[in-house]
């Protein structure tokens, strides 16, 4: 009889605690839901904040990095003398290795018509070092810029590049607007 | 298969899988180590080869060598990536087999054992657990506590440090030290210094200047607290700067000089009208400045930075001042391009001291006899071509435009001591333009241009009075100023006329844009020189074009107006003299016989031109 | 004077540019406007592969619910070790190797915490569901999540080869670590410093087949250790396990070793690799040992002391804890070593100086973060003190137990013990 009593009491306490725990869980989820969004998050680089420090190439958990150079053709000047393709004081304007800025030769230079050349990034070779981006931004239009490419990015809960990015250029963006490709200069924030 | 055979089999598989996994793991580790040791992509050898190619641009063998090496490096890189990837899969595969085989092995081997008769003594283990928890808890807390004592809260030191630095947050300044080298005779107080200054108008004899300078040093050390007050009232007058040519582009940096009888014909080859020619020891792109009977220029190379003082009358090099032993200044000068050099900014002088700034970030003041007064290191200007903003002085202050890739600022140093009077952080990027002074509403303003703002600053306080967001790119031209309007322009950007009272844009034009040469405004006309060789004259009020002249050579120098004539030097050393009017009228073309891209300095009846290797005095 | 300031390169640009501007009115913004092609060149479009579809993320949640239901069914109803085993293989393959271990319930703690403290961050529903669903299941069925639905648990469970039994005192003492880890993880997530759970997840590198060198070493050493000390991460590190353990202690139902009455055969005692089976109490021994009410009162009374000590130490520790924050770190570095400003190798400092942000602002921000850390580490310290106090108290609480029962807080619901029980239904 007494045993039953203690058992009942224990069950009662257990039930009570269980109830309060579920209330607590409900409270937490309620609070979180109030600010939750249905969309998912992905990481992306703001090209206007990026300073091409080179950490994207070294700090991504992927090797090679999920950060790749993308080329906004709308912005490109199709220059013969491309600051993103050629070394700053290149020996000559050719595709020879000694003139190319890209360490992995990931940029393809294609002649279109005098004096224009199209530049195309081979994503398989690009490792996101941003050397071409730095060149294009300082000498050209800045049509080349770094972006996190989402078919490679594993979308870590905490992006390890974002953690070390010196210019805080990497942030969570909504998955429905997963890229910050430079469309035109109107996107440029006030400096 | 019986149980023993199965056992044997699983054991063998486990051993093989284990050896396989360990081998792959070791290979992977080796690969990791190799990659971390030498990233084939950042190969030092390749960089060295490319550097060598810069020295020998036509070495075909070297090119082939680079190409082969580059291919090898890239192959190595992608190979190592492939190896890591493949190795990881192999390791995973091996590990799965190993785990599976081991599980089978142990499950076959395992018999349901008779449970131990004496199980762990519950009570004893609980007592042990209590001890363990207390010890661990105490250790964790003690460790954290100890660590908290071992750490320094550096943030606490921030305020202390900035107070001693005297000027708020200014990052670079914390490392700056002022060195006073001038002699300090025992003499006089602050107020006399002020009187003396106002008396020193016109060309001053160097001896007098020297004494005054020493006096001021004394004044500084005795009544330090009064320094800002002195600075606000004293200084050179407009008459002083008009009599002399104390800064880049003459009085207030506006490009208009008051001197008369300026010769308009000379020839370097025949020596016609060349009064003297004097060699310049070290190269530099700065332009001559004049005070009294002295001409000042500077030169620099990687080994030293020097200021030269020439006698205006005969071109004799009077003294050479060396900017060395400046506290904080790095032993190795920063990398600058050859066409900028370490001595692109022009000097300035207030008749008591001559001031110089170099691409190293060193600012130095000499007295008129070449004695060092003070020196200051501003931190290496982060500038991919080299710092080139010239100095200017007003109201006992040395005004410095210090726009670098790390952000812009304007700095005013006390002319006598080099101490910071004010410092204003600008929302600007790097700039190669020079400061210009202008009197607006009875107040002298320092007008600066850079990407992206043209802005005016109160010379006394450094307060930003107005700022207009209109520039972009790598701004080389300084502003022009005339009749209450500021003219600013840059290649690829725009040419604007601004109202400095509110920063509003009066008109803009983008047909001809200067790249290095500064706009010159005077008497209703605006002169622009593009780097590709077109000299253009606009109506300063409306921006309507009056005339243009395509000279066909590079124009980096800034136009100057003297004696009703327009003087325009090109990069080949040819100076064209035009009539300064609404109609294009070329008076003469005068070849210096030496390349020169600098801006000339003027005095009565004389032009002083810095050629690549010589300083010229032109006159009748 | 500004003379030849531009490089030769730029001079060539000018000529090039001039060529262009003859037939194209240039915009002021672009240095080199896009040319108008005469040969009918078609401009390719910039390729931007879409991220994983949102529907698939919700599909993951569905999978999680199904796996959790199955795990609960296998553990509580079906009593099938085989079922749990294959379920964990599936979990390992799906959530581990296919989904690369991200997002997981363990890491989602930090997302929930950040959504409370960072007004700029709102949690995504999927992350919230990953956090909350396993907790709800645990509140009803015990830690079936650990048994079947957690990829980290699965990989460790599958490599258990020859588990050794750890003495109880060691289990208890090491059991304190997850609480400390949880407190730190919450502190760092709340202050926007870091997601340490994700950063130091030892297995995620294995799931991704790619990681930093030290993380690979850590992962492999955990696996090697896990062959003999079963589930080391789950037992002695997992911060989510702390929450699950709280839920599980009060779960409505829980796996039982025997389907009917225990026959005291003791066969199950060696079956649990995690030392999570409680033995029947020997009441005589308890009374004899003196670990009775007296000790209980002593330990209960010193709980506030533990808490106070924790708060005190926490308050003291906030300085070094906050150094983990990149902003604080940068500010301190600039203050303590101003000469680094001239070091072109230090990218962080270089970028900061180039950003034009003033030192004052940086220091203000760093001070604000440090102030947050002050409060946060006091709370974390107090929490750790409380946990130590209660764990201590728990060692003198004796439940009257006649049978061999799983410890509800520590049992991972792996169903191993059920295999050993000879009792038929």
């Amino acid at each position: 009889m007494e045993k039953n009593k203690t058992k009942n009491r224990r069950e009662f306490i257990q039930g009570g605690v269980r109830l309060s725990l579920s209330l607590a869980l409900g409270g937490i989820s309620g609070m979180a839901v109030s600010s939750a969004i249905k969309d998912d998050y992905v990481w992306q680089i703001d090209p206007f904040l990026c300073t091409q420090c080179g950490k994207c190439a070294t700090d991504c958990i992927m090797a090679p990095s999920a950060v790749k150079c993308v080329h906004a053709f709308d912005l490109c000047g199709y220059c013969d003398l491309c600051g993103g393709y050629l070394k700053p004081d290149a020996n000559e304007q050719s595709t020879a290795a000694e003139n190319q800025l890209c360490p992995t030769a990931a940029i393809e230079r294609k002649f279109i018509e005098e004096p224009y050349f199209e530049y195309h990034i081979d994503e398989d070779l690009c490792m996101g070092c941003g050397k071409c981006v730095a060149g294009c931004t300082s000498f050209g239009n800045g049509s080349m810029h770094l972006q996190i490419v989402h078919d490679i990015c594993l979308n870590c809960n905490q992006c390890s590049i974002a953690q070390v990015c010196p210019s805080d250029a990497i942030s969570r963006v909504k998955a429905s607007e997963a890229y910050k490709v430079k469309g035109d200069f109107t996107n440029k924030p006030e400096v | 298969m019986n149980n023993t055979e199965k056992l044997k089999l699983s054991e063998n598989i486990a051993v093989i899988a284990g050896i396989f996994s360990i081998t792959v793991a070791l290979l992977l580790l080796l690969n990791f180590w190799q990659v971390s040791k030498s990233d084939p992509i950042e190969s030092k050898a390749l960089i060295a080869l490319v550097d060598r190619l810069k020295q020998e641009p036509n070495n075909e063998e070297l090119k082939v060598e680079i190409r082969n090496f580059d291919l090898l490096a890239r192959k190595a890189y992608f190979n190592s990536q492939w190896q890591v990837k493949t190795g990881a899969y192999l390791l995973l595969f091996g590990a799965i087999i190993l785990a599976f085989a081991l599980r089978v092995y142990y499950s076959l081997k395992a018999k349901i054992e008779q449970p131990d008769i004496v199980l762990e003594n519950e009570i004893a283990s609980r007592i042990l657990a209590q001890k363990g928890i207390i010890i661990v808890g105490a250790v964790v807390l003690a460790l954290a506590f100890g660590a908290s004592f071992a750490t320094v809260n550096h943030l606490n030191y921030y305020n202390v440090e900035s107070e001693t630095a005297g000027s708020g947050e200014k990052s670079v300044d914390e490392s700056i030290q002022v060195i006073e080298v001038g002699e300090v005779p025992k003499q006089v107080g602050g107020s006399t210094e002020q009187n003396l200054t106002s008396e020193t108008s016109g060309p001053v004899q160097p001896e007098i200047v020297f004494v005054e300078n020493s006096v001021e040093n004394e004044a500084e050390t005795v009544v330090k607290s009064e320094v800002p007050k002195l600075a606000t009232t004293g200084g050179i007058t407009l008459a002083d700067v008009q009599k002399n040519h104390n800064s880049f582009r003459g009085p207030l940096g506006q490009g208009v000089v008051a001197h008369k009888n300026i010769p308009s014909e000379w020839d370097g080859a025949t020596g016609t009208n060349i009064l003297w020619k004097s060699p310049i020891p070290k190269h530099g792109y700065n332009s001559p400045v004049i005070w009294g009977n002295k001409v000042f220029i500077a030169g620099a190379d990687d080994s030293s930075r020097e200021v030269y003082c020439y006698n205006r009358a005969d071109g004799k090099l009077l003294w050479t001042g060396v900017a060395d032993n400046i506290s904080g200044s790095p032993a190795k000068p920063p990398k600058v391009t050859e066409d900028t050099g370490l001595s692109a900014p022009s000097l300035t002088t207030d008749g008591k001291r001559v001031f110089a700034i170099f691409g190293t970030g060193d600012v130095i003041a000499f007295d008129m006899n070449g004695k060092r007064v003070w020196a200051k290191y501003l931190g290496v200007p982060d500038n991919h071509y080299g710092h080139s903003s010239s100095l200017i002085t007003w109201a006992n202050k040395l005004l410095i435009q210090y726009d670098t890739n790390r952000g812009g600022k304007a700095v005013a140093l006390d002319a006598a001591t080099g101490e910071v009077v004010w410092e204003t952080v600008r929302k600007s990027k790097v700039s190669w333009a020079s400061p210009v002074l202008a009197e607006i509403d009875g107040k002298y303003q320092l007008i600066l241009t850079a990407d992206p703002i043209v802005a005016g600053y109160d010379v006394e306080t450094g307060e930003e009075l107005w700022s207009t967001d209109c520039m972009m790119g790598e701004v080389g031209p300084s502003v022009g100023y005339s009749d209450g309007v500021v003219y600013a322009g840059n290649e690829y950007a725009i040419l604007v006329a601004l109202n400095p009272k509110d920063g509003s844009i009066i008109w803009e034009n983008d047909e001809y844009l200067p790249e290095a040469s500064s706009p010159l405004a005077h008497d209703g006309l605006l002169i622009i020189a593009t780097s590709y060789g077109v000299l253009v004259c606009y109506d300063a009020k409306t921006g309507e074009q009056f005339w243009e002249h395509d000279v066909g050579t590079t124009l980096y120098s800034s136009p100057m107006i003297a004696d009703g004539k327009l003087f325009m030097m090109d990069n080949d050393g040819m100076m064209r003299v035009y009539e300064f009017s609404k109609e294009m009228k070329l008076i003469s073309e005068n070849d210096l016989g030496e390349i020169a891209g600098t801006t000339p300095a003027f005095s009565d009846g004389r032009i002083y031109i810095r050629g690549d290797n010589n300083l010229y005095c032109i006159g009748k | 004077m500004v003379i030849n300031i531009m490089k030769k390169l730029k001079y060539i640009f000018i000529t090039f540019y001039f060529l262009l501007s003859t037939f194209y009115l240039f915009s002021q913004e672009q240095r080199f406007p896009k040319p108008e092609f005469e040969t009918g060149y078609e401009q390719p479009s910039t390729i931007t592969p879409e991220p994983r579809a949102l529907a698939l993320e919700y599909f993951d949640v569905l999978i999680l619910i199904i796996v959790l239901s199955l795990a609960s069914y296998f553990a509580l109803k079906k009593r099938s070790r085989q079922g749990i085993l294959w379920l964990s293989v599936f979990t390992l393959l799906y959530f581990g190797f296919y989904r690369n271990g991200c997002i997981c319930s363990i890491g989602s703690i930090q997302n929930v915490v950040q959504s409370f403290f960072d007004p700029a961050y709102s949690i995504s529903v999927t992350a919230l569901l990953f956090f909350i669903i396993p907790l709800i299941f645990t509140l009803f069925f015990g830690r079936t999540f650990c048994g079947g639905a957690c990829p980290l648990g699965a990989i460790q469970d599958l490599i258990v080869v020859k588990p050794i039994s750890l003495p109880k005192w060691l289990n208890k003492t090491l059991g304190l670590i997850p609480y400390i880890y949880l407190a730190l993880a919450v502190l760092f997530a709340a202050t926007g410093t870091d997601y340490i759970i994700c950063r130091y997840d030892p297995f995620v590198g294995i799931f991704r087949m790619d990681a930093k060198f030290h993380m690979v070493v850590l992962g492999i050493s955990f696996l090697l250790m896990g062959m003999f000390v079963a589930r080391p991460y789950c037992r002695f590190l997992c911060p989510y396990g702390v929450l699950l353990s709280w839920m599980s202690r009060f779960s409505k139902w829980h796996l039982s070793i025997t389907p009917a009455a225990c026959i005291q055969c003791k066969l199950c005692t060696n079956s649990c690799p995690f030392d999570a089976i409680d033995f029947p109490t020997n009441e005589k021994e308890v009374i004899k040992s003196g670990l009775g009410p007296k000790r209980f009162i002593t330990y209960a009374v010193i709980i506030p002391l533990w808490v106070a000590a924790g708060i005190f130490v926490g308050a003291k520790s906030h300085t070094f804890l906050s150094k983990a924050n990149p902003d604080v770190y940068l500010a301190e570095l600039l203050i303590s070593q101003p000469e680094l400003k001239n070091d072109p190798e230090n990218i962080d400092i270089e970028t900061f100086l180039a950003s034009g942000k003033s030192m004052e602002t940086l220091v203000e921000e760093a001070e604000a973060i440090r102030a947050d850390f002050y409060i946060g580490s006091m709370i974390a310290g107090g929490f750790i003190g409380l946990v130590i106090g209660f764990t201590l108290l728990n060692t003198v609480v004796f439940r009257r137990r006649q049978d061999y029962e799983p410890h509800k807080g520590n049992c991972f619901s792996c169903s191993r013990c059920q295999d050993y029980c000879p009792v038929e239904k």
Side-chain angles (χ1 to χ4, degrees), chain B residues 131-143:
Chain B
K131 282 182 188 156
I133 290 163
I134 292 174
I135 291 168
V136 167
V139 165
V140 166
L141 294 181
L143 276 182

Side-chain angles (χ1 to χ4, degrees), chain B residues 56-261:
Chain B
E56 318 160 33
N58 297 317
N59 189 339
E60 293 302 321
E61 269 176 42
L62 189 60
K63 284 184 192 172
V64 174
E65 197 184 334
I66 291 177
R67 286 168 204 169
N68 292 337
F69 197 98
D70 174 74
L71 189 65
L72 273 180
R74 278 186 289 131
K75 269 191 183 160
Y77 176 73
F78 286 109
N79 259 341
S80 73
Q81 295 222 323
W82 178 86
Q83 282 165 5
V84 168
K85 209 81 218 168
T86 320
Y89 279 105
L90 284 177
L91 185 61
L92 183 72
F93 172 74
I96 290 171
I97 301 284
L98 175 69
F100 189 73
L102 280 177
R103 281 186 69 97
V104 171
Y105 176 76
Y106 277 107
S107 66
L108 287 174
K109 212 178 162 191
K111 295 163 261 171
I112 293 190
E113 291 159 32
Q114 198 61 29
D116 307 340
I117 305 302
V118 183
L119 292 162
E120 204 181 342
N121 185 334
E122 168 95 18
I123 305 296
S125 76
R126 281 201 184 212
I127 290 169
L128 261 180
Q130 286 168 12
K131 282 182 188 156
I133 290 163
I134 292 174
I135 291 168
V136 167
V139 165
V140 166
L141 294 181
L143 276 182
F145 192 60
S148 71
F149 273 103
T151 48
V152 186
N153 185 349
H154 292 292
L155 292 184
N156 284 346
Y157 295 99
Y158 176 67
N159 285 331
V160 181
E161 212 171 68
S162 61
E163 267 164 36
T164 50
S167 53
E169 25 85 24
K170 310 311 137 54
S171 45
V172 192
D173 288 354
E174 285 160 18
S175 54
I176 289 173
Q177 286 179 17
V178 177
I179 301 178
E180 287 182 43
V181 195
E183 267 182 47
V184 186
K186 297 134 203 117
Q187 269 277 346
V188 218
S191 53
T192 29
E193 184 267 341
Q194 191 188 325
N195 296 336
L196 283 171
T197 320
S198 51
E199 279 163 26
T200 56
S201 45
V204 195
Q205 292 309 304
E207 288 74 24
I208 301 170
V209 171
F210 169 57
V211 172
E212 278 174 3
N213 160 57
S214 320
V215 166
E216 189 165 296
N217 265 350
E218 172 66 2
E220 163 59 24
T221 44
V222 175
V223 275
K224 223 166 188 146
S225 58
E226 283 183 36
V227 167
K229 272 191 209 158
L230 290 174
T232 56
T233 50
I236 46 179
T237 63
L238 194 57
D240 289 340
V241 296
Q242 275 170 353
K243 264 187 190 148
N244 296 287
H245 187 110
N246 76 324
S247 60
F248 172 57
R249 297 174 67 214
L252 307 180
Q254 293 178 0
V256 182
V257 297
H259 300 293
K260 299 284 178 233
N261 308 318

Side-chain angles (χ1 to χ4, degrees), chain C residues 3-21:
Chain C
I3 316 199
N4 304 354
I5 51 163
M6 313 300 169
K7 292 190 168 190
K8 283 172 213 145
L9 188 92
K10 279 209 72 186
Y11 194 69
I12 306 164
F13 274 149
I14 295 161
T15 6
F16 177 62
Y17 175 76
F18 212 49
L19 266 170
L20 282 176
S21 55

Side-chain angles (χ1 to χ4, degrees), chain B residues 394-598:
Chain B
W394 195 253
N396 279 342
K397 290 179 201 62
L398 176 64
L399 304 161
I400 306 170
Q401 178 173 13
Y402 212 64
D403 293 338
T404 70
N405 284 325
R406 295 180 185 174
K409 62 178 178 181
V411 187
L413 304 182
D414 186 282
T417 63
E419 271 175 37
V420 175
V421 182
W422 53 257
E423 184 172 304
T424 303
V425 173
R426 287 154 46 71
K427 282 187 178 158
S428 70
K429 297 176 187 160
V430 63
S431 172
W432 291 266
S434 297
V436 169
L437 292 167
E439 189 188 350
I440 293 156
D441 287 342
K443 225 185 207 177
Y444 275 91
Q445 281 193 15
L446 180 71
I447 304 171
L448 308 180
T449 169
D451 178 10
I453 55 165
V454 180
Y457 299 85
D458 187 338
V459 168
E460 299 300 343
T461 61
E463 184 197 346
E464 188 171 278
L465 301 170
W466 57 274
S467 165
T468 306
D469 212 331
C470 58
M471 273 306 122
M472 65 165 288
E474 300 180 326
V475 179
S478 316
V479 299
Y481 175 82
S482 171
D483 291 335
V485 182
V486 172
Y487 302 89
N490 189 37
E491 183 73 299
Y492 312 134
I494 198 151
L495 174 68
V496 287
L498 296 165
N499 180 354
K501 286 181 180 145
D502 54 6
S504 61
I505 292 176
I506 300 166
W507 55 261
E508 54 180 65
N509 192 328
D510 53 23
E511 201 174 349
Y512 292 101
L513 298 170
E515 189 195 357
S517 172
S518 306
L520 168 63
H522 182 56
D523 216 7
L525 299 184
L526 173 68
I527 309 293
I528 296 293
T530 67
S531 55
Y532 45 86
V534 183
L535 189 68
V536 193
C537 175
Y538 289 105
D539 184 337
K541 292 240 154 30
T542 60
E544 188 191 326
Q545 184 182 323
F546 285 135
W547 55 265
E548 60 174 81
H549 182 218
D550 189 349
V551 301
T553 51
T554 307
L555 301 178
Y556 274 7
S557 167
S558 294
M560 294 290 293
I561 292 164
D563 205 5
K565 285 171 278 198
L566 173 66
F567 294 83
M568 186 66 223
M569 172 65 91
D570 74 8
N571 280 18
D572 300 335
M574 177 79 80
M575 192 186 275
R576 293 177 178 78
V577 185
Y578 300 83
E579 199 163 276
F580 183 65
S581 70
K582 284 184 189 175
E583 262 99 66
M584 205 294 274
K585 192 178 169 206
L586 183 64
I587 299 171
S588 64
E589 291 190 323
N590 308 293
D591 195 354
L592 194 61
E594 181 172 343
I595 56 166
T598 57

Side-chain angles (χ1 to χ4, degrees), chain A residues 70-91:
Chain A
V70 302
H71 195 191
F73 292 97
D74 273 339
L75 265 185
C76 182
Y78 290 82
C79 312
D80 182 5
L81 186 65
C82 173
Y85 183 76
L86 297 165
K87 287 209 171 82
D89 28 18
N91 189 270

